[in-house]
Amino acid sequence: MKIVVCIKQVPDTNEVRLDPKTGTLIRDGVPSIINPDDKAGLEAALRLKDAYGAHVTVVTMGPPQAKIALQEAYAMGADRVILLTDRVFAGADTLATSTTIAAAIKKLDYDLVITGRQAIDGDTAQVGPQIAEHLGLPQISYVSDFENHGDYAVVKRVFEDGFQKIKVGYPCLITTLSEMNEARYMNIRGILDANRVLEIETWQFSDIDADIEEMGLKGSPTKVKKSFTKGAKQAGKVLEGTPKELAVAIVDKLHEKFII
Amino acid sequence: MNQKDYSGVLVFAEQRSGEIQNVSLELLGKGRKIADELGASLMAVLPGKDMKKHSRLLIEYGADQVVLIEDDSLSIYMTEPYTQAVVQTIETYKPEVVLFGATSIGRDLAPRVSARIRTGLTADCTSLDVSEDKMLLMTRPAFGGNIMATIVCPDHRPQMSTVRPGVMTKMERDASRVGEVIESDWKPERNTQWVEVLSFEQETDEKQDIQEATVLISGGRGVGSAENFGVLYDLADELGGMVSASRAAVDSGWMDHERQVGQTGKTVRPNLYFACGISGAIQHVAGMEEADFIVAVNKDKNAKIFEVADLGIVGDVHKIIPLLTEEIKKINESKKVK
């Protein structure tokens, strides 16, 4: 079985803090991590490798420093790691990103493609399904369990109100939830190899078959018109009164905020 | 592509087990406003099985036309037949705007559709507006809600977005509204992207994760006992949320550790967080301060929790919460879709 896992290097948003005066993000010194949903996908692939002897290739698109995420993936047990990096890939929205990554995957052999459900910096959940479309693969998103049955898989697909069990043939693409598993740590030999002997394969635009008009900022149908912070949090109103008055005050506020 | 060929707003009407989802009615409310600003019509597409009786509901909530697509392959959600059905509708009617609910169905379907027709898609929007030059302005949170970004799709049509449930307001239901139901002749094309759904199981609250909840009703030492958490469960039921707790309540044995919010528990970011009888120790606040809206109820008007609350209520949890539950129950009953 050949598996391709797509990962993204993201700032650990749990560590991102807002400047209380300006309301802007303080990103200095914020560590970069493998996106949690993607790490669960990598772990799922490595478990298939442990059980059935799969070959696991990990692909990421990003700036040169994203190779640190690939070193970690290698030290966890991936067999091959590929960095897609080129100035023409920069500024991509989800459609352009998925087009680039799909073009790279087309160069590889695969039975199963795994992406995380969504990245914690963008929260779009769009790139996985869009890669599946570009590759013409069936997609199962929001996966919390995966069973290999030889020439097909049975996966658990989570909804807000329950879950489906879905039978899907190979090749296919799944998007994984971080709660799917507990990712392993890097092994010592892997860490040493990643630092000493691992040469990260670096692919540029010229290494994939794609239309340059569909790459990066130029190939992105959506554009950011403006971005802004919600501002630093202020303490809200504190109300006193009879229980009835207070209950009504809460209802009014929830109405105003469109919560009820 | 000629942008002038594209006109009108299309809303994906999501059904589960034959029931139209509330988010789709909310999208019709917003879609109606956008269509009016664009001087265009509002269409809903309803894929499903035996849904004809529900198509009228979409008109009463704002649609001018409903495209009804019925087939066995559409009775429960599956990516490929739904993608085919929605893509055919877009290609036939060429809307300039297409809206989906940002549910686990909408967020699976919309990116697939956008990639098939090669247009832009903005995820999980919390605000939609029309610019002076009639472009859709799609605003969404990023970085866990720390940053808001307004996105446009200038050169591709349709402009598509998924929209967070509970943010838009639906119209008052109007039984006298006039509209047209168009029965589609769509037939599925079975291809290699087909999958087989073996089973569907409803999941009980017990197995869910408080980090996934959009509403959390959280209790602390001030709740007093495990039995007293009953009123919090009643409120959570009315708001479609879950019950969680502070460390003090967990250590007292009133709640499982799985439900603990805070530094030694879980970090949560619901749309609404109720802190009931929680003093607001810094370890607790670290786990919930990112919630979109925080209501704190505490007897002690100097409680630290009021410093992070958007709304602070000085009073007795056991008196206020049951009254609040009653009020919300009344509202929910009056809103129920028949």
Side-chain angles (χ1 to χ4, degrees), chain B residues 42-236:
Chain B
L42 175 63
M43 179 180 272
V45 55
L46 175 57
K49 177 75 180 156
D50 301 325
M51 292 301 292
K52 196 170 180 177
K53 56 186 180 291
H54 295 289
S55 44
R56 179 71 212 150
L57 181 75
L58 299 169
I59 292 168
E60 293 177 5
Y61 275 99
D64 299 313
Q65 295 104 22
V66 176
V67 178
L68 178 66
I69 311 182
E70 301 213 88
D71 191 85
D72 288 338
S73 64
L74 302 172
S75 64
I76 49 168
Y77 177 71
M78 278 196 290
T79 310
E80 181 57 23
Y82 269 70
T83 302
Q84 289 180 15
V86 172
V87 165
Q88 194 211 42
T89 307
I90 292 171
E91 286 174 346
T92 306
Y93 297 100
K94 294 187 166 43
E96 59 195 299
V97 170
V98 184
L99 306 177
F100 302 78
T103 63
S104 66
I105 289 177
R107 298 186 76 174
D108 182 86
L109 173 63
R112 191 90 197 191
V113 170
S114 81
R116 192 159 296 180
I117 60 179
R118 285 210 77 86
T119 190
L121 174 65
T122 305
D124 202 23
C125 295
T126 52
S127 158
L128 296 172
D129 291 293
V130 177
S131 71
E132 278 176 24
D133 52 352
K134 307 283 184 196
M135 256 199 306
L136 188 65
L137 302 174
M138 301 169 273
T139 300
R140 65 179 307 266
F143 279 102
N146 288 322
I147 282 192
M148 304 296 289
T150 300
I151 312 287
V152 290
C153 180
D155 304 318
H156 291 68
R157 291 293 177 272
Q159 307 160 84
M160 306 210 321
S161 87
T162 61
V163 180
R164 187 177 289 188
V167 177
M168 303 301 171
T169 321
K170 59 188 175 195
M171 292 170 52
E172 288 284 319
R173 187 175 180 176
D174 178 358
S176 67
R177 279 201 65 191
V178 180
E180 181 191 3
V181 177
I182 304 162
E183 293 187 41
S184 166
D185 58 1
W186 175 84
K187 285 280 169 283
E189 187 200 331
R190 239 187 127 89
N191 57 19
T192 56
Q193 289 153 51
W194 228 258
V195 300
E196 190 186 337
V197 177
L198 302 175
S199 64
F200 177 73
E201 279 181 50
Q202 295 272 342
E203 210 157 25
T204 59
D205 188 36
E206 292 307 313
K207 287 184 196 159
Q208 285 173 10
D209 186 342
I210 57 170
Q211 287 175 310
E212 298 293 313
T214 54
V215 173
L216 278 178
I217 313 298
S218 209
R221 195 190 307 277
V223 174
S225 69
E227 293 71 45
N228 286 351
F229 267 82
V231 296
L232 306 193
Y233 281 103
D234 293 342
L235 178 59

Side-chain angles (χ1 to χ4, degrees), chain A residues 150-164:
Chain A
D151 50 2
Y152 67 93
V154 174
V155 302
K156 183 173 170 183
R157 197 283 196 197
V158 177
F159 291 84
E160 289 85 349
D161 52 347
F163 61 87
Q164 286 179 346

Side-chain angles (χ1 to χ4, degrees), chain A residues 29-165:
Chain A
V30 174
S32 288
I33 56 170
I34 296 176
N35 179 57
D37 283 344
D38 307 356
K39 202 165 183 177
L42 174 56
E43 175 64 28
L46 294 174
R47 288 184 189 185
L48 288 169
K49 178 181 171 179
D50 294 343
Y52 307 100
H55 181 276
V56 178
T57 303
V58 176
V59 175
T60 193
M61 180 174 116
Q65 60 267 31
K67 73 172 193 201
I68 293 163
L70 292 176
Q71 283 174 327
E72 183 179 347
Y74 182 85
M76 284 170 67
D79 298 293
R80 184 181 179 190
V81 293
I82 299 168
L83 173 64
L84 299 171
T85 191
D86 196 313
R87 293 176 80 101
V88 303
F89 300 156
D93 73 354
T94 62
L95 189 67
T97 300
S98 62
T99 303
T100 305
I101 295 173
I105 295 174
K106 278 182 190 162
K107 293 257 160 191
L108 302 166
D109 276 340
Y110 57 85
D111 304 296
L112 173 64
V113 178
I114 303 178
T115 74
R117 172 204 33 179
Q118 66 189 43
I120 57 174
D121 54 351
D123 293 320
T124 73
Q126 291 176 181
V127 172
Q130 288 175 332
I131 291 173
E133 173 63 22
H134 301 315
L135 295 174
L137 298 178
Q139 86 199 30
I140 317 283
S141 54
Y142 296 87
V143 168
S144 72
D145 192 36
F146 185 94
E147 292 166 23
N148 174 40
H149 290 262
D151 50 2
Y152 67 93
V154 174
V155 302
K156 183 173 170 183
R157 197 283 196 197
V158 177
F159 291 84
E160 289 85 349
D161 52 347
F163 61 87
Q164 286 179 346
K165 287 269 184 181

Side-chain angles (χ1 to χ4, degrees), chain A residues 234-236 238, chain B residues 275 277-285 288-289 294 296-312:
Chain A
Q234 306 283 329
V238 178
Chain B
I278 292 175
S279 62
I282 189 152
Q283 292 83 351
H284 182 76
V285 170
M288 47 64 84
E289 64 187 335
I294 298 167
V297 183
N298 203 299
K299 270 193 213 167
D300 173 9
K301 70 175 176 187
N302 298 316
K304 277 210 153 320
I305 192 76
F306 290 133
E307 291 171 18
V308 293
D310 297 281
L311 179 63

Side-chain angles (χ1 to χ4, degrees), chain B residues 209-211 258-268 287-288:
Chain B
D209 186 342
I210 57 170
Q211 287 175 310
E258 281 292 290
R259 304 267 189 125
Q260 183 182 322
V261 173
Q263 213 156 50
T264 52
K266 289 178 174 171
T267 300
V268 295
M288 47 64 84

Side-chain angles (χ1 to χ4, degrees), chain A residues 237-249:
Chain A
K237 270 190 206 159
V238 178
L239 306 177
E240 296 181 64
T242 68
K244 178 80 184 168
E245 285 165 2
L246 293 170
V248 170

